[in-house]
Amino acid sequence: MNVRSRTHAFLRATPLRYYFHLIKGRMAGAPQSDESAILSRLVGQCPRTFLEFGFHPTEYNCIGLKDFKGLLVDGDPQTVRLARALLPSRIEARQSFITLDNIKGLGAHFPKLGVLSIDVDGNDYWFLKELLPVKPAVISVEYNASFGLKPVTVPYDGSFDRKQKHESGWYHGASITALTQLCKGHGYKLVAVSAAGGNVFFLPHGSEMPELDPAQAYRESTLRNRWSGTSAKEQWEQVKRLPLVDVT
């Protein structure tokens, strides 16, 4: 573990993290890239509700949806505590370690779902697959740029923790190709990719937005590359021998 990682782990284990983000949240909040701006363009006249799995109270994808009611779900109690201190009453924050056993109940929180956002650094593909029958109007899901264009996802593991799976933290989730194929099979098309190479966005096939080819839309993760000093190709070399599911 490098110095940056050790410092981050130390701060997460102390009250300093809570108060730092409390002050940060009182001043302003934003997504890590342009996810919020993309969602604002895509939502149109969809139901004014959102469900987001995996979040931070000052940096989450649906943060710009000011007239939406939302449910934010995360397994970290301090994250949820901070969210309850910062966020307006129209947004509920709930602590829950998400599994295939409980995600259907969470997915039924709103009778009609406008935006579904999934970024849990683990079972993203399997959770999305379980929730696609809910028919959200807009889908945002994190893809693992380290997997390149290979149609793969990690196997489902109810206790998935990417830090325990591999020291790099690059073994998690699914590729842009795997997620696009999954959504296409349920009537959705790829319409946008975040600038930093972290999230993909889907709309129903009947929408007017043009469909993107994942091979052309793919971007490496600029944040991951910068933090690690590696490329997606180098990241893949470190995790390619770990268990993967080919979804073709």
Side-chain angles (χ1 to χ4, degrees):
M1 184 181 291
N2 60 31
V3 174
R4 181 193 291 269
S5 298
R6 287 198 298 270
T7 302
H8 186 261
F10 169 75
L11 289 174
R12 282 185 62 86
T14 72
L16 293 175
R17 171 177 174 262
Y18 175 83
Y19 291 109
F20 168 78
H21 286 295
L22 186 62
I23 295 169
K24 180 181 176 182
R26 296 296 185 193
M27 296 173 66
Q32 294 185 59
S33 180
D34 58 343
E35 290 88 356
S36 180
I38 292 172
L39 283 176
S40 295
R41 294 199 304 268
L42 298 182
V43 291
Q45 300 303 310
C46 81
R48 266 28 201 173
T49 57
F50 72 79
L51 176 57
E52 184 156 346
F53 294 96
F55 74 96
H56 190 280
T58 62
E59 296 177 348
Y60 60 97
N61 291 343
C62 296
I63 199 168
L65 304 180
K66 303 298 185 183
D67 60 337
F68 280 56
K69 292 183 178 180
L71 173 63
L72 298 170
V73 184
D74 197 273
D76 180 36
Q78 197 171 88
T79 293
V80 173
R81 177 187 170 213
L82 184 60
R84 290 171 177 167
L86 287 173
L87 300 179
S89 58
R90 63 183 174 81
I91 300 177
E92 178 186 349
R94 187 179 301 181
Q95 182 194 353
S96 178
F97 187 84
I98 309 156
T99 68
L100 288 179
D101 293 327
N102 64 15
I103 199 167
K104 271 192 175 179
L106 293 165
H109 184 78
F110 295 109
K112 293 184 178 181
L113 182 58
V115 178
L116 170 64
S117 178
I118 302 176
D119 180 354
V120 296
D121 293 334
N123 295 310
D124 305 64
Y125 179 93
W126 307 108
F127 294 157
L128 177 60
K129 185 177 182 180
E130 194 72 14
L131 290 177
L132 278 167
V134 173
K135 295 294 182 185
V138 183
I139 296 170
S140 170
V141 59
E142 182 188 48
Y143 71 95
N144 187 345
S146 302
F147 290 166
L149 293 172
K150 302 157 194 71
V152 297
T153 179
V154 297
Y156 175 74
D157 180 346
S159 59
F160 195 99
D161 184 336
R162 72 171 184 168
K163 295 175 183 177
Q164 294 181 3
K165 291 289 186 180
H166 192 266
E167 60 183 5
S168 68
W170 301 333
Y171 175 73
H172 63 88
S175 70
I176 186 173
T177 307
L179 293 168
T180 301
Q181 290 181 0
L182 174 63
C183 288
K184 192 167 187 176
H186 287 77
Y188 291 87
K189 61 184 178 181
L190 176 66
V191 296
V193 179
S194 61
N199 289 268
V200 281
F201 300 82
F202 300 92
L203 290 176
H205 277 304
S207 72
E208 296 180 355
M209 291 282 292
E211 183 173 4
L212 301 179
D213 180 342
Q216 296 176 336
Y218 168 81
R219 294 185 177 101
E220 294 193 23
S221 172
T222 56
L223 295 175
R224 177 169 294 180
N225 289 7
R226 185 167 68 243
W227 291 339
S228 66
T230 63
S231 66
K233 183 178 180 181
E234 292 170 310
Q235 294 154 21
W236 170 249
E237 287 299 314
Q238 289 205 34
V239 301
K240 67 180 183 181
R241 293 178 180 82
L242 297 172
L244 290 166
V245 178
D246 187 321
V247 299
T248 54

